[in-house]
Amino acid sequence: MAKVDTNKVMQQAERSCVEHGVRLTSKRKHILEVLLNAQAPRSAYEIADLYRQKTEENIPVMSVYRMLDFLMQNSLVHKLASNNKFIACAHIACSHSHQTPQFLICDNCQQVREIGVDKQLIHALEESIEHNHFQLNSPQLELHGLCETCQQDS
Amino acid sequence: MAKVDTNKVMQQAERSCVEHGVRLTSKRKHILEVLLNAQAPRSAYEIADLYRQKTEENIPVMSVYRMLDFLMQNSLVHKLASNNKFIACAHIACSHSHQTPQFLICDNCQQVREIGVDKQLIHALEESIEHNHFQLNSPQLELHGLCETCQQDS
DNA sequence: CAAATTATGATATATCATATCATTTCAATA
DNA sequence: TATTGAAATGATATGATATATCATAATTTG
Ligand SMILES: [Zn+2]
Ligand SMILES: [Zn+2]
Ligand SMILES: [Zn+2]
Ligand SMILES: [Zn+2]
């Protein structure tokens, strides 16, 4: 969860949605901004609370889930299955198309680093599943451990 | 979720618990047996239902969660974070010590294959995270896709 | 046996997620 | 610009997953 230039990212998000012919409404934007400003992954209910703080408007959790679905479909947000929380994509402002994400999740401070799955790893994965006659869908990986800071503290 | 010889597996589970000085009570055994006989991962609530069918005794879900915790601590059961379900370890009866598990989850029929993470993959993973100054805990992997059978059907 | 420890039960509540139908907003186009 | 159809959002209910806490039962240990 490195620092990001929110404005730049939002501009790129808008561009991307225009390109794909989908609508980044103002509520959807607020949800994305909330996640961009968060220091760690947030649950849908936490996002609803942050939305209220930010806009002073109430938002039904049902709507938050729908907007998260929209944002996920457009690769602007990811869901971490291992803790049922959501995180803004770290690569919105990058020029390259979005790769399969890999998340390094710190079990101490909860911060998450999103990196692209590297070639070596993809290759090893494919080898591994090939032996098992399995056809991979989308190998999002969630790896738990300690971030650099938390390693030093312990 | 290949067929297993339940009796043999249960014997080995008992041996393993004795060795580690922990108690595989009759209720914990029933929970494990339920999972061994299941054809796919089950939620804690489903396990409670199956327990009732099997034993004709009621069991509080709270107890199921506790027993699952016990079984997980002793590597007899795993939790799949990506769907909040539980599965019996496929390697209970193997002689080798338990490795980091990797799960191939079929998104069509829900069956799960548990394999050991292979050397190549471990190596690639380590490379990948090394570049990010991250210290991996236990890299349980959950890979989604299609099993052999479901590939043919589609 | 008594005491200590561990396992289980009972109850309540927190947390995460979806189903469904109503209303509003927005864009296309007649 | 008025009509209308589609997409987005709201409102409400409910289902599914998980934990907290205190009470009771079973087991081990001295
Ligand atoms: Zn991403
Ligand atoms: Zn950390
Ligand atoms: Zn296992
Ligand atoms: Zn299948």
Side-chain angles (χ1 to χ4, degrees):
Chain A
M1 218 134 317
K3 279 242 182 62
V4 291
D5 178 341
T6 305
N7 286 341
K8 187 178 161 201
V9 170
M10 290 307 298
Q11 281 170 26
Q12 181 57 38
E14 299 205 48
R15 260 197 299 276
S16 165
C17 285
V18 169
E19 269 175 30
H20 292 85
V22 295
R23 283 156 55 193
L24 188 58
T25 64
S26 96
K27 302 202 175 206
R28 286 167 173 170
K29 264 189 249 182
H30 285 312
I31 299 283
L32 179 54
E33 282 166 354
V34 159
L35 283 179
L36 284 168
N37 294 326
Q39 295 309 300
R42 301 291 178 201
S43 75
Y45 283 77
E46 289 168 342
I47 292 167
D49 287 342
L50 292 166
Y51 185 104
R52 279 187 273 272
Q53 288 173 29
K54 176 178 158 65
T55 65
E56 304 200 333
E57 275 182 30
N58 205 53
I59 188 163
V61 176
M62 182 68 254
S63 295
V64 173
Y65 273 107
R66 269 188 303 231
M67 292 165 194
L68 287 170
D69 283 343
F70 170 88
L71 295 168
M72 286 190 288
Q73 273 165 29
N74 292 281
S75 292
L76 299 170
V77 162
H78 301 294
K79 177 174 183 180
L80 299 182
S82 50
N83 56 11
N84 300 310
K85 293 192 190 315
F86 301 86
I87 184 176
C89 176
H91 299 133
I92 295 175
C94 304
S95 52
H96 58 78
S97 73
H98 193 270
Q99 304 167 10
T100 290
Q102 178 184 350
F103 300 99
L104 305 181
I105 303 167
C106 179
D107 288 332
N108 185 245
C109 72
Q110 320 312 324
Q111 293 210 6
V112 175
R113 179 104 180 255
E114 176 182 357
I115 62 184
V117 178
D118 82 25
K119 292 250 163 55
Q120 280 279 94
L121 187 52
I122 292 270
H123 186 69
L125 263 179
E126 284 170 347
E127 288 273 305
S128 167
I129 65 174
E130 187 177 287
H131 292 140
N132 290 277
H133 310 286
F134 194 81
Q135 178 185 314
L136 208 53
N137 271 350
S138 163
Q140 169 169 317
L141 294 189
E142 301 179 21
L143 305 175
H144 287 257
L146 287 181
C147 74
E148 195 169 8
T149 309
C150 291
Q151 285 170 51
Q152 288 161 358
D153 292 357
S154 62
Chain B
M1 217 133 318
K3 280 240 182 64
V4 290
D5 178 338
T6 305
N7 286 342
K8 187 177 159 200
V9 171
M10 290 306 299
Q11 281 170 26
Q12 181 56 39
E14 298 204 48
R15 259 197 300 275
S16 164
C17 285
V18 169
E19 269 174 31
H20 293 85
V22 295
R23 283 153 56 191
L24 188 57
T25 65
S26 97
K27 303 202 175 204
R28 287 167 173 171
K29 264 190 249 184
H30 285 312
I31 299 283
L32 180 54
E33 282 166 353
V34 159
L35 283 178
L36 284 168
N37 294 326
Q39 295 310 299
R42 302 291 178 200
S43 74
Y45 285 75
E46 288 168 341
I47 293 167
D49 287 342
L50 293 166
Y51 185 103
R52 279 187 272 274
Q53 288 172 30
K54 176 177 157 67
T55 66
E56 306 201 330
E57 273 183 31
N58 205 55
I59 188 163
V61 177
M62 184 64 255
S63 295
V64 172
Y65 274 106
R66 270 189 302 232
M67 291 166 196
L68 287 170
D69 283 343
F70 170 88
L71 295 168
M72 286 190 288
Q73 274 166 26
N74 292 281
S75 291
L76 298 170
V77 162
H78 301 294
K79 177 175 184 179
L80 300 182
S82 50
N83 56 12
N84 299 309
K85 292 190 191 314
F86 303 85
I87 184 177
C89 174
H91 300 132
I92 295 175
C94 303
S95 53
H96 59 78
S97 74
H98 193 270
Q99 303 168 11
T100 292
Q102 179 184 350
F103 301 98
L104 305 180
I105 303 167
C106 178
D107 288 332
N108 185 247
C109 72
Q110 321 311 326
Q111 293 210 4
V112 175
R113 179 104 179 255
E114 177 183 356
I115 62 185
V117 178
D118 82 25
K119 293 248 163 58
Q120 279 278 94
L121 188 50
I122 291 269
H123 186 70
L125 265 178
E126 285 169 347
E127 289 273 305
S128 170
I129 64 173
E130 186 177 288
H131 293 139
N132 290 277
H133 309 287
F134 193 82
Q135 178 184 313
L136 209 53
N137 271 351
S138 165
Q140 168 169 316
L141 296 188
E142 301 180 20
L143 305 174
H144 287 256
L146 288 181
C147 73
E148 196 169 9
T149 308
C150 291
Q151 284 171 51
Q152 289 163 357
D153 293 357
S154 65

